[in-house]
Amino acid sequence: MIKIQTLKKNNRMSTQELLQTIYQKIREGECEFEIEACGQHDIGGAVRGKDGKDLEFYITNPGQRVGAMAMDGTRIVVEGSAPADVGWLNSGAEIIVKGDAGDTTAHCAAGGKIYIGGRVGTRSGALMKHDPRFEPPQFWVLKNTGSFGFEFMGGGIAVICGYGCDDMPSVLGNRACVGMVGGTVYVRGNVEGLAACVQQVKLDKLDKDFLKSGMPEFLSAIEKSELLDELLDFSKWSKIIPLPKEQKVQRIPVSEFRKTEWFEDGLFGDLVEDDGKVYTLAQEGEARIKKPVWDSKLCIGCDLCLNNCPQKAIIKDDKVYISKDEKCIGCGICAAVCPRQAWSLVKN
Ligand code: SF4
Ligand code: SF4
């Protein structure tokens, strides 16, 4: 076992120094590391042991992205908590955080197992995916998640045990599973504010069998085996899965989306003042962000601007070039093609 202390007196080893030290030791055939970190990033990720040896990392006080892009054959144990991006794009490692984990835990995870002994932050489990050639990724959390979890989840299995969260209105925070198209989120406890594209249903026998088989390993990893009976009482469990395609909510016009989702308790309801007016993508006239101004002293009359304006907004009147406000969208193509920089875009 190689021990690495990353802080000696006031000298902190940089992330690069630490990672290069680890890689060198792996090349020498080492495969077990105990790392006293002080915020260094990316520990345990994207490495394989020499000659196919398994790798083990025991880490305290890591920085972001512990086990990011970690490979099968890697086991990472974090004593205590870890900040954001634990197991980002995990490709097969077993990653255990005994305390809480930050935002975007298991983001994009594609394989392996991630076990969290506390809570996880927002957008955790987002974009999890499953390549059917491999086992699906698993993501187990003892307590709850922050909001916006499991956004655009495409596959894999998440298990949110809701331990000690009975008083919470939602153990998944708000707006979980937006855009979810695959995979399963098992959840124990209250859930509200789910996206309209998913359904919350009861567990069937296969679901219960899965939880029964996986729970002992999870609890053992986070050293909470005494909770087994409590967490395998299925009375508070349900699962969230995507709605079948035919039941999916129909697309709505942008104007309706803005009214019902964007504000009025929607995404940015309490942050922006908005008159709700829907603009077309490219604005003409008064609504342009920029407008072109022509300088007669620079122009050599080559007509390049005239011929390239996508709006046919430029007219030539006795060697004077004019951009018509009512047609111009402020795209700047006239300025870009002009060999003399006779057009300049100014704030409208
Ligand atoms: S800014 Fe675009 S639309 Fe306006 S005059 Fe120039 S090229 Fe035409
Ligand atoms: S491209 Fe420039 S130089 Fe040519 S006509 Fe237009 S403004 Fe004049």
Side-chain angles (χ1 to χ4, degrees):
M1 166 92 79
I2 296 291
K3 290 192 182 185
I4 304 176
Q5 246 186 325
T6 63
L7 189 64
K8 288 186 183 146
K9 294 193 177 161
N10 284 330
N11 290 325
R12 175 187 177 274
M13 196 183 251
S14 71
T15 292
Q16 274 310 311
E17 281 174 276
L18 173 60
L19 296 182
Q20 293 305 328
T21 303
I22 293 169
Y23 301 154
Q24 180 56 36
K25 292 293 176 194
I26 289 174
R27 281 193 289 273
E28 291 167 12
E30 299 292 347
C31 51
E32 267 187 65
F33 295 85
E34 185 181 314
I35 300 168
E36 264 181 51
C38 45
Q40 289 89 351
H41 295 180
D42 293 283
I43 303 172
V47 275
R48 278 197 194 282
K50 191 178 181 191
D51 303 325
K53 279 186 198 167
D54 287 350
L55 294 175
E56 293 202 29
F57 295 88
Y58 299 91
I59 309 166
T60 51
N61 197 25
Q64 288 180 303
R65 295 190 298 278
V66 177
M69 296 193 283
M71 313 270 192
D72 55 313
T74 298
R75 184 169 190 266
I76 297 170
V77 180
V78 176
E79 293 292 342
S81 294
D85 291 336
V86 171
W88 175 77
L89 236 175
N90 183 21
S91 306
E94 181 179 287
I95 302 171
I96 300 156
V97 176
K98 293 190 184 168
D100 297 329
D103 294 343
T104 51
T105 301
H107 195 269
C108 298
K113 293 177 181 173
I114 298 174
Y115 292 150
I116 308 296
R119 308 176 196 283
V120 292
T122 60
R123 295 212 149 81
S124 290
L127 289 159
M128 281 177 71
K129 53 183 75 72
H130 176 210
D131 180 337
R133 290 175 300 169
F134 304 96
E135 290 295 310
Q138 293 185 29
F139 173 34
W140 294 66
V141 178
L142 182 65
K143 296 182 180 173
N144 59 302
T145 75
S147 295
F148 314 115
F150 311 106
E151 274 178 329
F152 304 108
M153 184 175 181
I157 302 166
V159 183
I160 311 302
C161 298
Y163 175 70
C165 302
D166 292 349
D167 295 338
M168 298 186 78
S170 176
V171 295
L172 299 183
N174 198 15
R175 294 184 70 84
C177 304
V178 171
M180 179 178 174
V181 292
T184 303
V185 179
Y186 293 106
V187 60
R188 179 179 164 275
N190 300 326
V191 174
E192 62 177 35
L194 275 180
C197 60
V198 295
Q199 55 186 327
Q200 187 180 9
V201 296
K202 287 182 178 167
L203 304 192
D204 59 25
K205 182 175 177 314
L206 285 178
D207 299 319
K208 290 176 185 173
D209 288 347
F210 169 78
L211 290 172
K212 277 184 206 163
S213 68
M215 192 67 79
E217 187 182 317
F218 166 57
L219 292 177
S220 165
I222 60 166
E223 298 176 8
K224 291 277 191 294
S225 293
E226 69 277 11
L227 303 180
L228 186 64
D229 290 342
E230 184 177 343
L231 295 184
L232 287 184
D233 168 1
F234 291 113
S235 60
K236 293 181 188 166
W237 283 93
S238 59
K239 70 173 174 181
I240 298 161
I241 49 176
L243 278 175
K245 198 175 165 198
E246 56 278 12
Q247 288 179 31
K248 285 243 162 93
V249 179
Q250 294 300 307
R251 286 179 142 203
I252 57 171
V254 171
S255 53
E256 195 182 328
F257 172 80
R258 287 173 67 88
K259 255 196 217 151
T260 57
E261 303 282 333
W262 196 252
F263 28 80
E264 302 210 351
D265 295 333
L267 290 177
F268 298 111
D270 49 352
L271 299 177
V272 295
E273 280 182 20
D274 197 316
D275 60 6
K277 195 169 170 189
V278 177
Y279 292 92
T280 54
L281 288 177
Q283 291 305 306
E284 300 157 357
E286 276 308 290
R288 280 171 303 173
I289 295 168
K290 293 194 169 177
K291 65 180 179 184
V293 175
W294 180 70
D295 185 340
S296 61
K297 292 192 285 303
L298 296 172
C299 179
I300 53 168
C302 68
D303 284 353
L304 270 174
C305 55
L306 191 76
N307 295 329
N308 283 285
C309 171
Q311 293 291 100
K312 305 269 179 266
I314 297 175
I315 56 167
K316 187 178 177 183
D317 186 7
D318 192 23
K319 295 186 184 167
V320 174
Y321 291 79
I322 301 163
S323 164
K324 303 289 279 180
D325 278 352
E326 66 276 14
K327 283 188 172 179
C328 173
I329 56 173
C331 66
I333 288 175
C334 49
V337 297
C338 175
R340 300 297 303 271
Q341 297 175 325
W343 290 103
S344 47
L345 271 281
V346 299
K347 206 171 164 194
N348 190 21

